[in-house]
Each structure stands twice: as structure tokens, then as C-alpha cells.
Amino acid sequence: MASLSTTFVASQTFLGSTAGRRLPVLRPKATFSTSIRAVSGGIACTRNGRRRFMVPAASRHLIGSVTKTEGLRFAVVVARFNEIVTRLLLEGALETFTRYSVKEEDVDVVWVPGSFEIPLVAQQLGNSGRYNAILCIGAVVRGETTHYDAVANSSASGVLSASLNSGVPCILGILTCEDMDQALNRAGGKSGNKGAEAALTAIEMASLFEHHLKG
């Protein structure tokens, strides 16, 4: 293994005199050596033959797989409000599950009135122990009042709370858009299908928990 060794000399300074001038004179006092070398599991630093500390090597990287989907089960909670958008998001999600070999019988779809109702149902599904991840789909479009802000903020924070309280990944697939054109563009239009993207996130998170973080 490669190693790097360095010898250091500690010195003492005192004052002498030459031709009436006081000059610094260096006298060796002590020597010690330090070596740094690669070892299994990290980098060791040794001083005077004694190991002083260990620098850990690179840590393991745990990543969810989108190809190991066998046995994973998913629930999709969908808001009926703005169904012209949410149904397109759902179609994108279901197509993604199929593309990544998730069996149709391993996906349950639950409809709720609106995005505000999604978090409660998501948490209940997470607590059931039947699913590896919950996908939450909705569409909140700004109107003339502040109702948009209340629903958008509450639904987003509610989905996060459902994840934390149930211990099951709850994926946010709720659009918050300024107008219907923006929403449709993100439901299969020129901006892609955010339902499909959220489904892919659900697969990766389900795999991460199942294969690496399972208690």
C-alpha cells in the first residue's frame, strides 16, 4: 500500500553574539516521524510507530432501485376535484407502474373529494401496513380568493405529515398551478406528466425502504 512518511525536527532557539550582534542559533531538540498510509476501511495516521487516528473510507451509498419492483405494493390517492387534470395524472402514474413491472393487482386507487382530503386517507393507508408507498395525486388551481393558498399549503404539509406519522413514503403528486393551462401542461402536455414522475419516485422510495431501510 502507498504511504507517505515525513520527519519533523523540533528546534530550540537561543541568542549568541558575533561581533557585537545577537544572532539566533538553532539547536536540534527532538525528532519525530509521521506516516500516512491507506489501510482497509480508511486511512491510518501513525506517529512514532503508534496509530493516532483513522480517517474513514468512502461510506456506503444506499439507493432505491426502479427495477426491483417484485412484491412491492402501492396505493394511489386521487382527488376528484379538477378531475380533468387528476385523471390524466393518474393515467400517467398507472402507465409508469406498468412500465416498471409493477403488477396491476399490486396497485390500489382510492378516490377522495379534493386535495385537502388526501393526507388523512394517505396516513390511514400507510398505517394499514399493506403498502410500500402511497402516491398522492391532486390539482389545485388558483382562483379569485385565498382558498388556493390554504388548500395548497395544507395538502402539501399534510402529505409530509402522513409520511412521518406512518413511516411509509407518501409521495407528493399534487399540482399547484396559476391556471388550468399550466395544470394541463403538467398532466401530459408540453411539461410532461407529473403523475408519471411521482410514480417513479414512489417506486424508488418503496425499493429504498424495502431493501435498505426495513427495520
Short mmCIF file of all heavy atoms in Angstrom, two decimals, residues 148-209:
data_model
loop_
_atom_site.label_atom_id
_atom_site.label_comp_id
_atom_site.label_asym_id
_atom_site.label_seq_id
_atom_site.Cartn_x
_atom_site.Cartn_y
_atom_site.Cartn_z
N TYR A 148 -57.09 29.01 -2.56
CA TYR A 148 -56.00 28.29 -3.21
C TYR A 148 -54.81 28.11 -2.26
O TYR A 148 -54.27 27.01 -2.12
CB TYR A 148 -55.56 29.05 -4.47
CG TYR A 148 -54.23 28.65 -5.03
CD1 TYR A 148 -54.12 27.63 -5.98
CD2 TYR A 148 -53.06 29.30 -4.64
CE1 TYR A 148 -52.89 27.27 -6.51
CE2 TYR A 148 -51.83 28.94 -5.16
CZ TYR A 148 -51.75 27.93 -6.09
OH TYR A 148 -50.53 27.56 -6.61
N ASP A 149 -54.40 29.20 -1.61
CA ASP A 149 -53.24 29.15 -0.73
C ASP A 149 -53.46 28.20 0.44
O ASP A 149 -52.57 27.44 0.82
CB ASP A 149 -52.90 30.55 -0.21
CG ASP A 149 -52.56 31.50 -1.33
OD1 ASP A 149 -51.52 31.30 -1.99
OD2 ASP A 149 -53.34 32.45 -1.57
N ALA A 150 -54.66 28.24 1.01
CA ALA A 150 -54.96 27.38 2.15
C ALA A 150 -54.91 25.91 1.76
O ALA A 150 -54.30 25.08 2.46
CB ALA A 150 -56.34 27.73 2.71
N VAL A 151 -55.52 25.57 0.63
CA VAL A 151 -55.56 24.16 0.20
C VAL A 151 -54.17 23.69 -0.24
O VAL A 151 -53.74 22.59 0.11
CB VAL A 151 -56.58 23.97 -0.93
CG1 VAL A 151 -56.52 22.53 -1.46
CG2 VAL A 151 -57.99 24.29 -0.44
N ALA A 152 -53.46 24.52 -0.99
CA ALA A 152 -52.13 24.14 -1.48
C ALA A 152 -51.18 23.87 -0.33
O ALA A 152 -50.48 22.85 -0.29
CB ALA A 152 -51.57 25.22 -2.40
N ASN A 153 -51.14 24.79 0.63
CA ASN A 153 -50.22 24.63 1.76
C ASN A 153 -50.62 23.47 2.66
O ASN A 153 -49.77 22.69 3.10
CB ASN A 153 -50.16 25.93 2.57
CG ASN A 153 -49.54 27.08 1.81
OD1 ASN A 153 -48.71 26.86 0.93
ND2 ASN A 153 -49.93 28.30 2.13
N SER A 154 -51.91 23.35 2.93
CA SER A 154 -52.37 22.30 3.84
C SER A 154 -52.17 20.91 3.24
O SER A 154 -51.77 19.97 3.95
CB SER A 154 -53.86 22.51 4.17
OG SER A 154 -54.06 23.73 4.85
N SER A 155 -52.44 20.76 1.96
CA SER A 155 -52.30 19.44 1.34
C SER A 155 -50.83 19.02 1.28
O SER A 155 -50.50 17.86 1.54
CB SER A 155 -52.93 19.43 -0.05
OG SER A 155 -52.35 20.41 -0.89
N ALA A 156 -49.94 19.96 0.95
CA ALA A 156 -48.52 19.62 0.86
C ALA A 156 -47.96 19.25 2.23
O ALA A 156 -47.28 18.22 2.38
CB ALA A 156 -47.74 20.79 0.27
N SER A 157 -48.23 20.07 3.24
CA SER A 157 -47.72 19.76 4.58
C SER A 157 -48.40 18.52 5.14
O SER A 157 -47.79 17.75 5.89
CB SER A 157 -47.93 20.95 5.52
OG SER A 157 -49.30 21.26 5.66
N GLY A 158 -49.65 18.30 4.76
CA GLY A 158 -50.36 17.11 5.23
C GLY A 158 -49.77 15.82 4.69
O GLY A 158 -49.69 14.81 5.40
N VAL A 159 -49.35 15.84 3.43
CA VAL A 159 -48.73 14.65 2.84
C VAL A 159 -47.41 14.34 3.55
O VAL A 159 -47.09 13.18 3.83
CB VAL A 159 -48.52 14.84 1.32
CG1 VAL A 159 -47.66 13.71 0.75
CG2 VAL A 159 -49.86 14.88 0.60
N LEU A 160 -46.65 15.38 3.85
CA LEU A 160 -45.41 15.19 4.60
C LEU A 160 -45.70 14.59 5.97
O LEU A 160 -45.02 13.64 6.41
CB LEU A 160 -44.67 16.51 4.75
CG LEU A 160 -43.43 16.51 5.65
CD1 LEU A 160 -42.39 15.52 5.14
CD2 LEU A 160 -42.84 17.91 5.77
N SER A 161 -46.69 15.12 6.66
CA SER A 161 -47.05 14.60 7.99
C SER A 161 -47.50 13.14 7.91
O SER A 161 -47.19 12.33 8.79
CB SER A 161 -48.17 15.45 8.60
OG SER A 161 -47.72 16.76 8.86
N ALA A 162 -48.22 12.79 6.84
CA ALA A 162 -48.66 11.41 6.67
C ALA A 162 -47.47 10.47 6.55
O ALA A 162 -47.46 9.36 7.11
CB ALA A 162 -49.56 11.29 5.44
N SER A 163 -46.44 10.91 5.84
CA SER A 163 -45.21 10.10 5.73
C SER A 163 -44.55 9.92 7.08
O SER A 163 -44.18 8.81 7.47
CB SER A 163 -44.22 10.78 4.77
OG SER A 163 -44.61 10.68 3.44
N LEU A 164 -44.38 11.03 7.80
CA LEU A 164 -43.67 10.98 9.07
C LEU A 164 -44.44 10.18 10.12
O LEU A 164 -43.86 9.44 10.92
CB LEU A 164 -43.42 12.40 9.57
CG LEU A 164 -42.53 13.27 8.68
CD1 LEU A 164 -42.45 14.69 9.23
CD2 LEU A 164 -41.14 12.68 8.55
N ASN A 165 -45.75 10.31 10.12
CA ASN A 165 -46.56 9.63 11.13
C ASN A 165 -46.74 8.15 10.86
O ASN A 165 -46.86 7.35 11.80
CB ASN A 165 -47.94 10.30 11.24
CG ASN A 165 -47.85 11.71 11.80
OD1 ASN A 165 -46.92 12.04 12.54
ND2 ASN A 165 -48.81 12.56 11.46
N SER A 166 -46.77 7.77 9.59
CA SER A 166 -46.98 6.36 9.25
C SER A 166 -45.68 5.60 9.03
O SER A 166 -45.65 4.37 9.12
CB SER A 166 -47.86 6.25 8.00
OG SER A 166 -47.16 6.74 6.86
N GLY A 167 -44.61 6.32 8.73
CA GLY A 167 -43.35 5.66 8.41
C GLY A 167 -43.32 5.06 7.02
O GLY A 167 -42.40 4.32 6.68
N VAL A 168 -44.31 5.39 6.21
CA VAL A 168 -44.40 4.89 4.83
C VAL A 168 -44.25 6.08 3.89
O VAL A 168 -44.89 7.12 4.10
CB VAL A 168 -45.75 4.18 4.58
CG1 VAL A 168 -45.90 3.79 3.11
CG2 VAL A 168 -45.86 2.95 5.46
N PRO A 169 -43.42 5.98 2.84
CA PRO A 169 -43.26 7.10 1.92
C PRO A 169 -44.58 7.52 1.29
O PRO A 169 -45.27 6.70 0.67
CB PRO A 169 -42.30 6.55 0.86
CG PRO A 169 -41.56 5.45 1.53
CD PRO A 169 -42.55 4.84 2.49
N CYS A 170 -44.96 8.78 1.47
CA CYS A 170 -46.14 9.35 0.83
C CYS A 170 -45.64 10.40 -0.16
O CYS A 170 -45.04 11.40 0.25
CB CYS A 170 -47.08 9.97 1.86
SG CYS A 170 -47.80 8.76 3.01
N ILE A 171 -45.86 10.17 -1.42
CA ILE A 171 -45.25 10.97 -2.48
C ILE A 171 -46.20 12.08 -2.91
O ILE A 171 -47.37 11.84 -3.21
CB ILE A 171 -44.89 10.10 -3.69
CG1 ILE A 171 -44.09 8.86 -3.23
CG2 ILE A 171 -44.11 10.90 -4.71
CD1 ILE A 171 -42.85 9.17 -2.43
N LEU A 172 -45.68 13.30 -2.96
CA LEU A 172 -46.49 14.47 -3.31
C LEU A 172 -46.61 14.58 -4.83
O LEU A 172 -45.64 14.90 -5.53
CB LEU A 172 -45.85 15.73 -2.74
CG LEU A 172 -46.62 17.04 -2.97
CD1 LEU A 172 -47.97 16.99 -2.24
CD2 LEU A 172 -45.80 18.23 -2.48
N GLY A 173 -47.81 14.32 -5.33
CA GLY A 173 -48.10 14.48 -6.76
C GLY A 173 -49.25 15.44 -6.95
O GLY A 173 -50.06 15.27 -7.86
N ILE A 174 -49.33 16.45 -6.09
CA ILE A 174 -50.41 17.43 -6.14
C ILE A 174 -49.91 18.68 -6.87
O ILE A 174 -48.96 19.33 -6.41
CB ILE A 174 -50.89 17.80 -4.72
CG1 ILE A 174 -51.38 16.54 -4.00
CG2 ILE A 174 -51.99 18.86 -4.78
CD1 ILE A 174 -51.76 16.78 -2.54
N LEU A 175 -50.51 18.99 -7.99
CA LEU A 175 -50.14 20.18 -8.74
C LEU A 175 -50.70 21.43 -8.06
O LEU A 175 -51.82 21.42 -7.55
CB LEU A 175 -50.68 20.12 -10.16
CG LEU A 175 -50.20 18.98 -11.07
CD1 LEU A 175 -50.83 19.12 -12.45
CD2 LEU A 175 -48.69 18.96 -11.17
N THR A 176 -49.92 22.49 -8.05
CA THR A 176 -50.40 23.80 -7.58
C THR A 176 -50.08 24.79 -8.69
O THR A 176 -48.92 25.18 -8.87
CB THR A 176 -49.70 24.20 -6.27
OG1 THR A 176 -48.28 24.11 -6.43
CG2 THR A 176 -50.12 23.28 -5.14
N CYS A 177 -51.10 25.18 -9.44
CA CYS A 177 -50.90 25.95 -10.67
C CYS A 177 -51.68 27.27 -10.65
O CYS A 177 -52.69 27.40 -9.96
CB CYS A 177 -51.32 25.12 -11.88
SG CYS A 177 -50.41 23.56 -12.03
N GLU A 178 -51.20 28.20 -11.45
CA GLU A 178 -51.84 29.51 -11.55
C GLU A 178 -53.12 29.46 -12.37
O GLU A 178 -54.05 30.23 -12.13
CB GLU A 178 -50.87 30.51 -12.18
CG GLU A 178 -49.67 30.85 -11.30
CD GLU A 178 -50.08 31.56 -10.02
OE1 GLU A 178 -51.00 32.42 -10.07
OE2 GLU A 178 -49.50 31.26 -8.96
N ASP A 179 -53.19 28.56 -13.35
CA ASP A 179 -54.39 28.46 -14.18
C ASP A 179 -54.49 27.05 -14.73
O ASP A 179 -53.59 26.22 -14.57
CB ASP A 179 -54.37 29.50 -15.32
CG ASP A 179 -53.09 29.46 -16.14
OD1 ASP A 179 -52.67 28.35 -16.53
OD2 ASP A 179 -52.49 30.53 -16.37
N MET A 180 -55.60 26.77 -15.41
CA MET A 180 -55.85 25.43 -15.91
C MET A 180 -54.87 25.04 -17.02
O MET A 180 -54.51 23.87 -17.15
CB MET A 180 -57.30 25.33 -16.42
CG MET A 180 -57.73 23.92 -16.77
SD MET A 180 -57.61 22.75 -15.39
CE MET A 180 -58.96 23.34 -14.35
N ASP A 181 -54.42 26.01 -17.81
CA ASP A 181 -53.45 25.69 -18.86
C ASP A 181 -52.16 25.14 -18.26
O ASP A 181 -51.59 24.17 -18.77
CB ASP A 181 -53.14 26.94 -19.70
CG ASP A 181 -54.27 27.30 -20.65
OD1 ASP A 181 -55.09 26.41 -20.94
OD2 ASP A 181 -54.32 28.47 -21.09
N GLN A 182 -51.69 25.76 -17.18
CA GLN A 182 -50.49 25.25 -16.51
C GLN A 182 -50.71 23.83 -16.02
O GLN A 182 -49.83 22.97 -16.15
CB GLN A 182 -50.13 26.15 -15.31
CG GLN A 182 -49.36 27.39 -15.66
CD GLN A 182 -48.85 28.10 -14.41
OE1 GLN A 182 -49.07 27.64 -13.28
NE2 GLN A 182 -48.18 29.23 -14.59
N ALA A 183 -51.87 23.57 -15.46
CA ALA A 183 -52.16 22.24 -14.93
C ALA A 183 -52.18 21.19 -16.03
O ALA A 183 -51.57 20.12 -15.90
CB ALA A 183 -53.50 22.26 -14.19
N LEU A 184 -52.85 21.49 -17.14
CA LEU A 184 -52.93 20.53 -18.24
C LEU A 184 -51.56 20.30 -18.89
O LEU A 184 -51.26 19.19 -19.34
CB LEU A 184 -53.94 21.02 -19.28
CG LEU A 184 -55.41 20.98 -18.82
CD1 LEU A 184 -56.31 21.68 -19.84
CD2 LEU A 184 -55.87 19.54 -18.59
N ASN A 185 -50.75 21.34 -18.94
CA ASN A 185 -49.40 21.18 -19.48
C ASN A 185 -48.56 20.22 -18.65
O ASN A 185 -47.63 19.58 -19.17
CB ASN A 185 -48.68 22.54 -19.55
CG ASN A 185 -49.12 23.36 -20.74
OD1 ASN A 185 -49.58 22.82 -21.75
ND2 ASN A 185 -48.99 24.68 -20.63
N ARG A 186 -48.89 20.11 -17.37
CA ARG A 186 -48.15 19.21 -16.47
C ARG A 186 -48.85 17.88 -16.27
O ARG A 186 -48.41 17.06 -15.46
CB ARG A 186 -47.94 19.93 -15.12
CG ARG A 186 -46.91 21.03 -15.21
CD ARG A 186 -47.05 22.09 -14.14
NE ARG A 186 -46.00 23.10 -14.28
CZ ARG A 186 -46.01 24.07 -15.20
NH1 ARG A 186 -47.03 24.15 -16.07
NH2 ARG A 186 -45.02 24.94 -15.28
N ALA A 187 -49.92 17.68 -17.00
CA ALA A 187 -50.66 16.42 -16.92
C ALA A 187 -50.63 15.71 -18.27
O ALA A 187 -51.64 15.17 -18.73
CB ALA A 187 -52.10 16.69 -16.48
N GLY A 188 -49.47 15.74 -18.90
CA GLY A 188 -49.31 15.08 -20.19
C GLY A 188 -49.07 16.03 -21.33
O GLY A 188 -48.91 15.60 -22.48
N GLY A 189 -49.03 17.34 -21.05
CA GLY A 189 -48.78 18.33 -22.09
C GLY A 189 -47.30 18.56 -22.30
O GLY A 189 -46.47 17.68 -22.09
N LYS A 190 -46.96 19.79 -22.69
CA LYS A 190 -45.56 20.08 -23.06
C LYS A 190 -44.60 20.02 -21.88
O LYS A 190 -43.38 19.93 -22.08
CB LYS A 190 -45.49 21.46 -23.71
CG LYS A 190 -45.91 22.62 -22.83
CD LYS A 190 -45.86 23.93 -23.61
CE LYS A 190 -46.26 25.11 -22.74
NZ LYS A 190 -46.24 26.39 -23.50
N SER A 191 -45.11 20.05 -20.66
CA SER A 191 -44.24 19.96 -19.48
C SER A 191 -44.18 18.54 -18.91
O SER A 191 -43.68 18.32 -17.81
CB SER A 191 -44.73 20.93 -18.38
OG SER A 191 -44.64 22.26 -18.83
N GLY A 192 -44.67 17.58 -19.67
CA GLY A 192 -44.62 16.19 -19.22
C GLY A 192 -45.80 15.83 -18.34
O GLY A 192 -46.76 16.59 -18.20
N ASN A 193 -45.73 14.66 -17.75
CA ASN A 193 -46.80 14.19 -16.87
C ASN A 193 -46.23 14.02 -15.46
O ASN A 193 -45.42 13.12 -15.21
CB ASN A 193 -47.38 12.87 -17.38
CG ASN A 193 -48.66 12.49 -16.66
OD1 ASN A 193 -48.69 12.41 -15.43
ND2 ASN A 193 -49.72 12.23 -17.42
N LYS A 194 -46.63 14.90 -14.56
CA LYS A 194 -46.11 14.86 -13.20
C LYS A 194 -46.62 13.65 -12.42
O LYS A 194 -46.00 13.23 -11.43
CB LYS A 194 -46.46 16.15 -12.45
CG LYS A 194 -45.93 17.41 -13.13
CD LYS A 194 -44.43 17.35 -13.35
CE LYS A 194 -43.91 18.58 -14.08
NZ LYS A 194 -42.45 18.51 -14.33
N GLY A 195 -47.72 13.08 -12.86
CA GLY A 195 -48.18 11.84 -12.23
C GLY A 195 -47.22 10.70 -12.50
O GLY A 195 -46.93 9.89 -11.62
N ALA A 196 -46.71 10.64 -13.73
CA ALA A 196 -45.72 9.62 -14.09
C ALA A 196 -44.44 9.81 -13.29
O ALA A 196 -43.85 8.85 -12.80
CB ALA A 196 -45.44 9.68 -15.59
N GLU A 197 -44.00 11.06 -13.16
CA GLU A 197 -42.78 11.34 -12.39
C GLU A 197 -42.95 10.96 -10.93
O GLU A 197 -42.04 10.39 -10.31
CB GLU A 197 -42.42 12.82 -12.52
CG GLU A 197 -42.03 13.25 -13.92
CD GLU A 197 -41.75 14.73 -14.02
OE1 GLU A 197 -41.61 15.39 -12.95
OE2 GLU A 197 -41.68 15.25 -15.15
N ALA A 198 -44.12 11.25 -10.37
CA ALA A 198 -44.37 10.92 -8.97
C ALA A 198 -44.41 9.41 -8.76
O ALA A 198 -43.96 8.90 -7.73
CB ALA A 198 -45.67 11.57 -8.51
N ALA A 199 -44.94 8.68 -9.74
CA ALA A 199 -44.99 7.22 -9.63
C ALA A 199 -43.58 6.64 -9.62
O ALA A 199 -43.28 5.69 -8.87
CB ALA A 199 -45.79 6.64 -10.79
N LEU A 200 -42.69 7.21 -10.42
CA LEU A 200 -41.31 6.74 -10.44
C LEU A 200 -40.63 7.01 -9.09
O LEU A 200 -39.86 6.18 -8.59
CB LEU A 200 -40.55 7.44 -11.57
CG LEU A 200 -39.23 6.80 -12.02
CD1 LEU A 200 -39.45 5.38 -12.48
CD2 LEU A 200 -38.61 7.63 -13.13
N THR A 201 -40.94 8.16 -8.51
CA THR A 201 -40.42 8.47 -7.17
C THR A 201 -40.95 7.47 -6.15
O THR A 201 -40.22 7.01 -5.26
CB THR A 201 -40.82 9.89 -6.76
OG1 THR A 201 -40.28 10.83 -7.70
CG2 THR A 201 -40.30 10.23 -5.37
N ALA A 202 -42.22 7.12 -6.27
CA ALA A 202 -42.82 6.15 -5.34
C ALA A 202 -42.12 4.79 -5.44
O ALA A 202 -41.86 4.14 -4.42
CB ALA A 202 -44.31 6.00 -5.64
N ILE A 203 -41.81 4.36 -6.65
CA ILE A 203 -41.13 3.08 -6.83
C ILE A 203 -39.75 3.12 -6.18
O ILE A 203 -39.35 2.19 -5.47
CB ILE A 203 -41.01 2.74 -8.34
CG1 ILE A 203 -42.38 2.49 -8.94
CG2 ILE A 203 -40.10 1.53 -8.54
CD1 ILE A 203 -42.38 2.34 -10.45
N GLU A 204 -39.01 4.19 -6.43
CA GLU A 204 -37.65 4.29 -5.88
C GLU A 204 -37.67 4.32 -4.35
O GLU A 204 -36.87 3.66 -3.69
CB GLU A 204 -36.95 5.53 -6.42
CG GLU A 204 -35.51 5.65 -5.96
CD GLU A 204 -34.77 6.81 -6.59
OE1 GLU A 204 -35.24 7.33 -7.63
OE2 GLU A 204 -33.72 7.20 -6.05
N MET A 205 -38.59 5.09 -3.78
CA MET A 205 -38.67 5.18 -2.32
C MET A 205 -39.13 3.86 -1.71
O MET A 205 -38.63 3.43 -0.66
CB MET A 205 -39.60 6.31 -1.92
CG MET A 205 -39.03 7.70 -2.16
SD MET A 205 -37.58 8.02 -1.13
CE MET A 205 -38.34 8.17 0.48
N ALA A 206 -40.08 3.20 -2.35
CA ALA A 206 -40.54 1.90 -1.85
C ALA A 206 -39.40 0.89 -1.85
O ALA A 206 -39.21 0.12 -0.90
CB ALA A 206 -41.70 1.40 -2.70
N SER A 207 -38.61 0.90 -2.92
CA SER A 207 -37.47 -0.01 -3.01
C SER A 207 -36.42 0.32 -1.96
O SER A 207 -35.84 -0.58 -1.34
CB SER A 207 -36.86 0.08 -4.42
OG SER A 207 -35.67 -0.65 -4.50
N LEU A 208 -36.15 1.61 -1.76
CA LEU A 208 -35.17 2.02 -0.76
C LEU A 208 -35.55 1.52 0.63
O LEU A 208 -34.71 0.96 1.36
CB LEU A 208 -35.05 3.55 -0.75
CG LEU A 208 -34.11 4.16 0.29
CD1 LEU A 208 -32.67 3.74 0.03
CD2 LEU A 208 -34.24 5.68 0.30
N PHE A 209 -36.81 1.69 1.00
CA PHE A 209 -37.26 1.25 2.31
C PHE A 209 -37.26 -0.27 2.42
O PHE A 209 -36.85 -0.83 3.44
CB PHE A 209 -38.66 1.80 2.60
CG PHE A 209 -38.65 3.15 3.26
CD1 PHE A 209 -38.17 4.26 2.59
CD2 PHE A 209 -39.12 3.32 4.55
CE1 PHE A 209 -38.14 5.51 3.19
CE2 PHE A 209 -39.10 4.56 5.16
CZ PHE A 209 -38.61 5.66 4.48
#
